[in-house]
Amino acid sequence: MNFLKLFAKHRVWFILLGILVVTILMSPNFLTVRNISNVLLQTSINGIIALGMTFLLISGDFDLSVGSVMALSAALAIGLQSRGILTACIIAVVLGSAIGLLNGFLVTKAKINAFIVTLGTMTMVRGIVLAYTNQRPISGTNSSFLNLSGSSWLGIPIPAFIFFAGVIVSHIILTYNSLGRNCFAIGGNREASIFSGIRVDRYRIIYFTICSFTAAIAGIVLASRLNTASPVYGQDTALMVVAAVLLGGTSLAGGSGSVIQTLAGVMIIGVLNNSLNLMNVFSYYQGLIIGIILVVVTILDSYYAKKRKFEAQIITKRLEFKKELNKGT
């Protein structure tokens, strides 16, 4: 019984462990230094975005435009290199984050559904990227930009360090900072948060901005891998990121989640994709498998959400019963 409780609480880590064992047994090349480095490099890009998406999902919102924001950031980081790499990256991050600010403003102030808003900005930003790149890949002029993704420390790619540092910072914010505590409160009960004095709209705008900020950072990292940007970058990113965050246990309904669990969810998707590549499985089968995982995780999320709601109702009734007993005495 204790093992079942332990599995239910940390199921994502058990799933990751199981996938690792099966992959190692079926693909001896998986444990090579080069392949492990590739896995870390590939997962770090979606992982960086997943951190921002975790904030947003915990608060009860989501963002479909992260892939387009990533593509825009990559295009700007490459296209503006003549102004200097640092300047190009700053402009890419600022404009990318501005998309999140716009999303948050439209959702909170204009009272438009987040699905409609982010679907619209996804299409709009993708159009901007296509126009900016003239619908073809563009290459950078400064080869030193390759050092961001091409360099490593202790055999670990620099993007992986950026991702792991983001996990630590995000965990601290969600655990010990009012920005994180309010995120859980808003996602758990938005009306109660308003009555308790939390400036809900302001915080929701911040979470949308954080999500786009992480997407912009990921775009810069992606562009630095080949010093190239393509207008097709990030077309499936939103699906992969949401799947990873949900797999990590963050609820679609909001109010619960953890970036530590998101780390495991990201690693599961990354290891799974890598193992399928090593076994020469066609890419469309990979998409099918990820889609199945997303459906299963959504079903499990719905089940656990109902279970949590039922348990909360029982606790509330017990408290009310005790209150009535105290009145009687």
Side-chain angles (χ1 to χ4, degrees):
M1 186 66 179
N2 290 332
F3 175 77
L4 292 177
K5 289 182 178 180
L6 183 66
F7 178 81
K9 185 176 181 180
H10 303 289
R11 58 188 179 276
V12 64
W13 293 103
F14 283 100
I15 294 172
L16 176 58
L17 179 62
I19 292 175
L20 284 172
V21 171
V22 173
T23 301
I24 292 170
L25 292 175
M26 298 186 67
S27 304
N29 293 329
F30 177 79
L31 284 179
T32 62
V33 174
R34 182 176 181 180
N35 187 64
I36 295 296
S37 179
N38 285 335
V39 172
L40 291 174
L41 183 58
Q42 292 166 3
T43 56
S44 61
I45 295 172
N46 283 344
I48 292 170
I49 305 176
L51 298 178
M53 189 67 76
T54 301
F55 276 86
L56 204 52
L57 286 175
I58 290 175
S59 69
D61 289 304
F62 59 92
D63 189 349
L64 296 176
S65 67
V66 288
S68 296
V69 172
M70 182 177 73
L72 175 64
S73 175
L76 291 173
I78 295 296
L80 298 176
Q81 282 187 5
S82 60
R83 300 173 180 268
I85 293 178
L86 181 60
T87 301
C89 290
I90 290 175
I91 293 174
V93 169
V94 170
L95 292 182
S97 302
I99 303 300
L101 186 66
L102 174 63
N103 286 335
F105 182 82
L106 291 175
V107 170
T108 59
K109 302 303 181 182
K111 306 299 181 184
I112 306 174
N113 183 275
F115 177 84
I116 302 298
V117 170
T118 57
L119 180 63
T121 52
M122 177 188 74
T123 306
M124 177 188 72
V125 174
R126 182 67 64 180
I128 293 173
V129 175
L130 288 168
Y132 183 76
T133 61
N134 199 23
Q135 303 183 50
R136 59 172 61 96
I138 56 175
S139 298
T141 57
N142 193 330
S143 59
S144 62
F145 188 50
L146 289 164
N147 293 331
L148 178 58
S149 289
S151 57
S152 61
W153 187 60
L154 299 176
I156 300 175
I158 295 301
F161 280 109
I162 295 174
F163 173 40
F164 295 144
V167 171
I168 294 172
V169 172
S170 299
H171 177 69
I172 292 173
I173 292 174
L174 284 172
T175 306
Y176 304 106
N177 189 270
S178 59
L179 183 65
R181 291 193 295 270
N182 289 337
C183 186
F184 286 100
I186 293 169
N189 193 322
R190 195 168 293 168
E191 291 184 359
S193 298
I194 294 173
F195 288 127
S196 63
I198 297 175
R199 305 185 71 169
V200 172
D201 286 354
R202 171 185 287 185
Y203 280 104
R204 291 176 71 193
I205 291 173
I206 291 174
Y207 302 139
F208 272 104
T209 306
I210 289 174
C211 191
S212 289
F213 170 79
T214 56
I217 295 294
I220 294 172
V221 173
L222 178 61
S224 70
R225 291 180 63 179
L226 297 173
N227 202 15
T228 302
S230 171
V232 299
Y233 278 170
Q235 288 186 330
D236 299 323
T237 296
L239 171 65
M240 301 292 285
V241 168
V242 170
V245 177
L246 293 180
L247 190 58
T250 299
S251 175
L252 269 175
S256 65
S258 164
V259 290
I260 303 299
Q261 299 286 80
T262 294
L263 168 63
V266 169
M267 293 305 299
I268 288 174
I269 300 295
V271 171
L272 187 60
N273 280 334
N274 181 261
S275 62
L276 293 174
N277 286 330
L278 291 175
M279 290 183 283
N280 296 318
V281 176
F282 292 115
S283 59
Y284 46 81
Y285 284 126
Q286 296 180 28
L288 174 63
I289 292 172
I290 298 300
I292 292 173
I293 290 175
L294 185 57
V295 171
V296 171
V297 168
T298 304
I299 293 172
L300 290 175
D301 174 71
S302 177
Y303 168 76
Y304 283 110
K306 290 179 180 178
K307 186 177 179 180
R308 287 193 297 268
K309 184 177 180 181
F310 178 71
E311 291 174 349
Q313 289 176 343
I314 292 177
I315 293 173
T316 301
K317 289 181 179 180
R318 286 178 178 175
L319 291 174
E320 290 176 351
F321 180 70
K322 288 182 180 181
K323 189 175 181 180
E324 291 295 328
L325 286 178
N326 291 333
K327 286 183 179 180
T329 57

